[in-house]
Amino acid sequence: VLEEMRQFCVQASPPRQGLQVVLSVLQDLSPCDDESVAFVKSLLLAFCEWIPHNALDETFAVLDELLRLLGPVFIDDQVTRALTGSLLNQYTARSKAQRR
């Protein structure tokens, strides 16, 4: 399911139903270890591309879960740059969901 969402994010903005499914899956996962961090980072980086174009509440709930899974240990410069670019984008900044 998560790989399908990653693939989808490479091409288009994820729909609400897809975000809800991914959120349920992510909430059941334990924080990343050395084996899972590369995949979770790739999912987060693909997801960040669409944050400015998809301001549904679920978008930010999924983002919260991805960050929880990575934890402070695995958040590097690449992740920080992607997050900063997405969250400070002019379209994201106008979103009511992002302001919460």
Side-chain angles (χ1 to χ4, degrees), residues 7 9 15-16 22 35-39 45 56 59 61 66 68 70 72 75 84-85 87-88:
Q7 293 285 337
C9 285
R16 174 171 277 150
V22 167
E35 293 179 26
S36 61
V37 69
F39 175 75
L45 294 173
L56 299 169
T59 299
L66 288 168
R68 177 190 66 80
L70 284 177
I75 295 177
T84 303
L87 295 175
L88 296 180

Side-chain angles (χ1 to χ4, degrees), residues 23-84:
L23 181 59
S24 293
V25 171
L26 292 174
Q27 288 171 336
D28 286 339
L29 297 177
S30 299
C32 287
D33 57 20
D34 291 337
E35 293 179 26
S36 61
V37 69
F39 175 75
V40 174
K41 272 188 190 179
S42 71
L43 178 58
L44 176 65
L45 294 173
F47 192 72
C48 280
E49 294 293 319
W50 291 102
I51 289 173
H53 310 288
N54 190 345
L56 299 169
D57 289 344
E58 292 84 357
T59 299
F60 299 100
V62 168
L63 179 60
D64 286 345
E65 285 300 312
L66 288 168
L67 292 173
R68 177 190 66 80
L69 292 173
L70 284 177
V73 173
F74 293 116
I75 295 177
D76 58 17
D77 288 342
Q78 183 183 23
V79 170
T80 302
R81 281 192 302 275
L83 286 169
T84 303

